[in-house]
Amino acid sequence: EQATSVDSVPLKSGFDVKSFPINGTRSKTLEELAEKWDQGFKFAPIRESQVSRAMTRRYFNDLDSYAESDIVIVGAGSCGLSTAYMLGKARPDLKIAIIEASVSPGGGAWLGGQLFSAMVMRKPADAFLTDLGVPFEDEGDFVVVKHAALFTSTLLSKVLSFPNIKLFNATAVEDLITRSNGDGTLRIAGVVTNWTLVTMHHDDQSCMDPNTINAPIVISTTGHDGPFGAFCVKRLVSMQQIEKLGGMRGLDMNTAEDAIVKRTREIVPGLIVGGMELSEVDGANRMGPTFGAMALSGVKAAEEALKVFDE
Ligand code: AHZ
């Protein structure tokens, strides 16, 4: 049988935009698109190198610009993104880099728990949702967002719209930059990064040195221990800046959420820790699938960071 050539596939004549009313009215741009189709539809021309340059020029400009940042947030889970949202809103003058090991930012906040959809937040974290513009159902002492992905996608879209925030995803923080205070203690002065795929292959490939970002404040929100989790606080132990980790304790929603928000703080000079990474430092309980503490720990981490810049 002969292979079908793309030119021989009969084209459906035109987009029937009239069947896609937007807010009850037809979209002007879609109507224009339909007219173009009638006149012989064709994409605007492009050369492959233009696509390449459109992406790489921007990325390398960002690498260049954010090599000196004001704040680096490590981990784009619910806490890291909440931190970024507060900082982006409060201080458009600060340059904020978010480093996320995964291709897809959002951490554990795409589902509510055990792969269920709804996301629970205990009051008073509903204030964060209201500020963000995420609708919820009020159940008295707690509220429910109909899908965790609605929270995370809204938060992400707001964070990514801030002109002073750059998300570098698929990039892992694989060490911290340190400065000696001269008395055996250190100050954190930035992060050491690599493509996550490279970070994962240090055992079987040699000589894949990392890259760096200098910043006076690093906010670590890498979650509880796991293949990537609790990264910065584990490194603080191996650098002998904290003696040992308390280790995350069992689940107790009532104590866990308060503890995480209250204890969000600068652990060593230059390094603020928020979200579930903190439970590993302090030996705090986990809360399981209730996300209010992640949002409010983000608010607190942002406040702690701004103290440095407001001084
Ligand atoms: O990929 C990680 C995730 O997106 C990222 N990350 C971890 N190590 C990294 C590294 N470099 C760059 N070295 C790194 N990125 O950090 C993100 C952490 O997101 P998370 O959702 O795991 O943590 P969170 O503290 O923002 O939210 C925790 C949510 C939890 S866990 C929990 C429980 O187990 O009881 N309950 C809640 C609400």
Side-chain angles (χ1 to χ4, degrees):
E1 228 177 276
Q2 263 207 319
T4 317
S5 135
V6 73
D7 293 329
S8 69
V9 178
L11 287 176
K12 199 173 168 291
S13 61
F15 294 119
D16 187 10
V17 286
K18 293 174 193 72
S19 56
F20 293 110
I22 295 175
N23 295 332
T25 58
R26 266 176 272 130
S27 149
K28 184 85 187 99
T29 40
L30 277 183
E31 265 187 35
E32 283 165 7
L33 181 60
E35 274 164 30
K36 281 209 175 106
W37 183 281
D38 292 340
Q39 293 155 17
F41 173 82
K42 211 169 176 349
F43 276 106
I46 199 153
R47 190 171 168 77
E48 288 75 4
S49 59
Q50 289 179 291
V51 179
S52 227
R53 285 178 174 151
M55 296 185 293
T56 53
R57 188 188 307 128
R58 283 169 178 78
Y59 198 87
F60 286 103
N61 273 343
D62 284 337
L63 275 183
D64 179 56
S65 166
Y66 285 83
E68 281 286 352
S69 293
D70 294 304
I71 299 175
V72 174
I73 299 173
V74 190
S78 46
C79 183
L81 289 174
S82 300
T83 310
Y85 172 67
M86 295 307 293
L87 288 171
K89 257 184 17 148
R91 292 292 298 266
D93 56 315
L94 296 180
K95 214 191 289 174
I96 301 161
I98 309 176
I99 311 296
E100 168 52 54
S102 175
V103 170
S104 48
W110 290 108
L111 290 159
Q114 199 179 319
L115 311 188
F116 303 136
S117 313
M119 174 183 261
V120 173
M121 282 207 189
R122 292 162 64 202
K123 290 183 179 177
D126 56 320
F128 187 83
L129 295 175
T130 304
D131 189 90
L132 194 60
V134 172
F136 53 78
E137 286 171 50
D138 195 325
E139 299 250 3
D141 284 336
F142 64 93
V143 299
V144 184
V145 180
K146 72 173 184 180
H147 203 300
L150 176 59
F151 167 77
T152 301
S153 59
T154 307
L155 185 55
L156 199 50
S157 73
K158 300 244 161 132
V159 164
L160 291 176
S161 312
F162 289 120
N164 58 324
I165 296 185
K166 169 68 187 178
L167 167 70
F168 294 95
N169 46 334
T171 306
V173 166
E174 56 175 45
D175 209 342
L176 297 167
I177 299 177
T178 61
R179 297 278 183 268
S180 168
N181 291 324
D183 58 359
T185 64
L186 298 175
R187 167 164 197 91
I188 305 306
V191 294
V192 177
T193 62
N194 222 325
W195 308 117
T196 303
L197 291 176
V198 172
T199 298
M200 289 164 75
H201 283 277
H202 283 306
D203 288 343
D204 55 50
Q205 300 285 324
S206 61
C207 206
M208 300 191 289
D209 263 336
N211 193 17
T212 55
I213 299 180
N214 282 109
I217 290 291
V218 174
I219 304 177
S220 188
T221 61
T222 66
H224 57 66
D225 203 0
F228 276 103
F231 178 80
C232 291
V233 297
K234 285 193 283 192
R235 191 68 181 103
L236 289 184
V237 175
S238 56
M239 292 193 298
Q240 299 177 343
Q241 293 305 298
I242 51 180
E243 203 184 322
K244 62 181 174 84
L245 295 180
M248 183 179 71
R249 305 292 158 86
L251 193 152
D252 182 345
M253 287 185 185
N254 280 303
T255 59
E257 290 214 273
D258 295 345
I260 294 294
V261 179
K262 281 185 195 146
R263 288 161 178 266
T264 301
R265 65 192 186 281
E266 197 173 32
I267 301 279
V268 301
L271 184 78
I272 294 165
V273 178
M276 284 310 281
E277 185 166 1
L278 262 182
S279 70
E280 300 288 357
V281 183
D282 295 329
N285 292 101
R286 68 192 301 188
M287 70 290 294
T290 164
F291 284 80
M294 296 305 113
L296 298 192
S297 173
V299 174
K300 181 95 184 291
E303 271 175 11
E304 293 297 303
L306 290 184
K307 279 182 196 163
V308 174
F309 293 95
D310 291 341
E311 266 166 15

